[in-house]
């Protein structure tokens, strides 16, 4: 969740020199190719098979809100722009602190977030600037420091606050919506894709995706949003015959935003448990039982990267996105 407000960005000149790429890619670790060998990620494979340079601006841990903000700052003149979106990123767009989602409780886990104003516009709320005392206060009284962040501890979807009697604490954990969803075969974030969810996460995902596409078009670039299902997505699809993010895909298409969902093609090419061949970690024992019928996780394997590159290439050609 490194926030773009905390520096670390480069200008196009420092990255590209005088070379204009044919395309660029934004997203998180599923787009950056984390856990794959150098040059083996799907973006790099795509670049090789197209015979032109695609610059990968993805950053592990970024939400699509942060990817959009990075696009705002980088204009490299490429013909097309890819936004890789893995479904659990819907949690990031309404959250400002990874420490409440199971991550390390450290200051650099803070981020900003967008909210939708009553007029329907996106408004960016930056992360708070905290000293040591302020960071302690953040963890002691979360709502006072991050009032716009979802998953606040003690709320319906937030972390359970441990207090005496501890048997009630355990009961609250067991009743958490994300725990019940997981045990039923859903992903912990499935409910956030419901249009009536109290977080408004689906509407925010759509608005950010639309803003990303609008900015790219204003620069005479063709945008393509690529949905990259994670292992939990395949588990849900195997159990319920539908990916959890289908409402997002449908809404993007309804708004004429160019989107490629590689999930159905990947599922068709794998079949059932073989979907684990798409991931780097294979679960065993109790973990495998919990994640059945797709007992695996981690990032994409070489097999997955190769297939995604193939699917994206076919889509770029179909949409004639390689020409001005």
């Amino acid at each position: 969740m490194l926030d773009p407000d905390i520096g670390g960005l480069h200008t196009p000149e420092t990255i590209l020199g005088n070379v204009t790429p044919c395309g660029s890619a934004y997203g998180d670790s599923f787009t950056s190719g984390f856990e794959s060998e150098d040059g083996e990620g799907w973006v790099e494979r795509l670049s090789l098979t197209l015979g032109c340079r695609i610059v990968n601006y993805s950053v592990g841990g970024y939400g699509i809100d942060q990817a959009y903000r990075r696009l705002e700052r980088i204009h490299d003149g490429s013909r097309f722009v890819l936004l890789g979106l893995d479904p659990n990123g819907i949690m990031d767009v309404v959250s400002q602190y990874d420490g409440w989602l199971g991550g390390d409780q450290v200051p650099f886990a803070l981020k900003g977030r967008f909210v939708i104003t009553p007029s329907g516009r996106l408004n960016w709320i930056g992360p708070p600037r905290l000293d040591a005392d302020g960071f302690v206060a953040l963890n002691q009284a979360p709502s006072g420091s991050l009032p716009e962040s979802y998953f606040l501890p003690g709320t319906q979807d937030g972390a359970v606050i441990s207090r005496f009697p501890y048997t009630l604490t355990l009961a609250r954990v067991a009743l958490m919506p994300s725990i019940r969803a997981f045990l039923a075969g859903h992903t912990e974030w499935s409910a956030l894709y419901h249009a009536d969810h109290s977080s408004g996460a689906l509407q925010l995902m759509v608005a950010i995706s639309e803003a990303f596409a609008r900015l790219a078009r204003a620069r005479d670039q063709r945008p393509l949003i690529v949905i990259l299902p994670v292992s939990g997505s395949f588990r849900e699809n195997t159990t319920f015959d539908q990916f959890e993010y289908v409402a997002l895909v449908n809404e993007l298409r309804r708004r004429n935003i160019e989107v490629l969902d590689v999930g159905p093609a990947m599922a068709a090419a794998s079949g059932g448990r073989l979907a684990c061949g798409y991931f780097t970690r294979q679960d065993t024992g109790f973990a495998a039982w919990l994640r059945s019928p797709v007992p695996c996780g981690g990032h994409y394997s070489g097999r997955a990267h190769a297939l995604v590159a193939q699917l994206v290439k076919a889509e770029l050609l179909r949409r004639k996105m390689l020409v001005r």
Side-chain angles (χ1 to χ4, degrees):
M1 269 197 181
L2 298 176
D3 197 280
D5 288 334
I6 311 178
L9 293 182
H10 303 281
T11 64
E13 291 76 19
T14 63
I15 299 174
L16 301 174
N18 295 320
V19 178
T20 300
C22 65
S24 54
Y26 295 80
D28 63 5
S29 53
F30 276 83
T31 304
S32 71
F34 186 69
E35 289 192 284
S36 65
E37 297 294 329
D38 289 346
E40 296 297 311
W42 67 265
V43 174
E44 289 68 38
R45 289 171 184 256
L46 177 65
S47 179
L48 182 62
T49 188
L50 290 178
C52 65
R53 187 178 185 190
I54 301 174
V55 184
N56 198 336
Y57 296 110
S58 303
V59 178
Y62 262 24
I64 67 164
D65 47 5
Q66 295 164 291
Y68 167 53
R69 295 217 66 205
R70 190 161 205 193
L71 176 69
E72 288 181 314
R73 301 183 182 199
I74 298 177
H75 184 191
D76 59 17
S78 55
R79 284 170 285 176
F80 63 86
V81 182
L82 306 172
L83 173 60
L85 189 160
D86 77 82
N88 67 17
I90 195 168
M91 301 175 73
D92 289 329
V93 298
V94 294
S95 175
Q96 289 187 263
Y97 184 39
D98 254 359
W100 296 333
L101 294 175
D104 294 333
Q105 293 186 332
V106 290
F108 58 76
L110 288 163
K111 65 180 281 288
R113 65 158 292 188
F114 282 108
V115 295
I116 301 176
T117 67
S119 63
R121 298 176 63 87
L122 286 173
N123 181 47
W124 178 255
I125 298 174
R129 306 298 183 182
L130 302 176
D131 57 18
D133 290 337
F135 185 70
V136 172
L138 162 71
N139 289 281
Q140 291 178 337
S143 61
S145 299
L146 295 175
E148 297 292 342
S149 186
Y150 200 66
F151 303 112
L152 289 172
T155 61
Q156 175 181 331
D157 290 307
V160 172
I161 299 174
S162 179
R163 56 168 65 98
F164 186 82
Y166 297 115
T167 52
L168 290 181
T169 296
L170 292 174
R172 294 189 189 100
V173 171
L175 292 173
M176 289 179 64
S178 59
I179 297 295
R180 287 186 283 116
F182 180 81
L183 293 176
H186 294 285
T187 68
E188 63 178 297
W189 56 84
S190 291
L192 274 69
Y193 281 101
H194 298 169
D196 60 352
H197 194 271
S198 59
S199 68
L202 174 61
Q203 292 82 358
L204 190 54
M205 288 280 279
V206 171
I208 296 170
S209 300
E210 191 170 34
F212 185 99
R214 187 187 308 117
L215 176 57
R217 293 192 194 105
R219 295 173 171 177
D220 197 28
Q221 296 172 297
R222 291 285 301 277
L224 178 65
I225 295 174
V226 183
I227 310 294
L228 303 167
V230 297
S231 59
S233 304
F234 284 100
R235 179 176 181 244
E236 178 143 334
N237 183 61
T238 300
T239 305
F240 301 102
D241 198 30
Q242 179 173 279
F243 287 101
E244 78 278 16
Y245 54 79
V246 65
L248 173 64
V249 175
N250 291 341
E251 184 60 21
L252 293 178
R253 288 173 175 162
R254 190 184 72 80
R255 297 186 182 216
N256 296 316
I257 298 171
E258 294 177 294
V259 58
L260 168 63
D261 174 13
V262 301
M266 293 179 74
S270 67
R273 294 175 63 90
L274 294 180
C276 280
Y278 292 142
F279 298 95
T280 56
R281 191 191 74 232
Q282 309 302 309
D283 294 334
T284 58
F286 183 67
W289 177 81
L290 275 178
R291 295 180 180 273
S292 177
V294 185
C296 51
H299 290 82
Y300 281 165
S301 64
R303 177 187 173 192
H305 282 296
L307 180 54
V308 172
Q310 175 186 331
L311 294 170
V312 175
K313 177 184 178 181
E315 190 72 5
L316 292 174
L317 293 173
R318 186 182 75 82
R319 293 180 181 270
K320 300 179 180 179
M321 298 178 73
L322 300 177
V323 296
R324 289 289 186 186

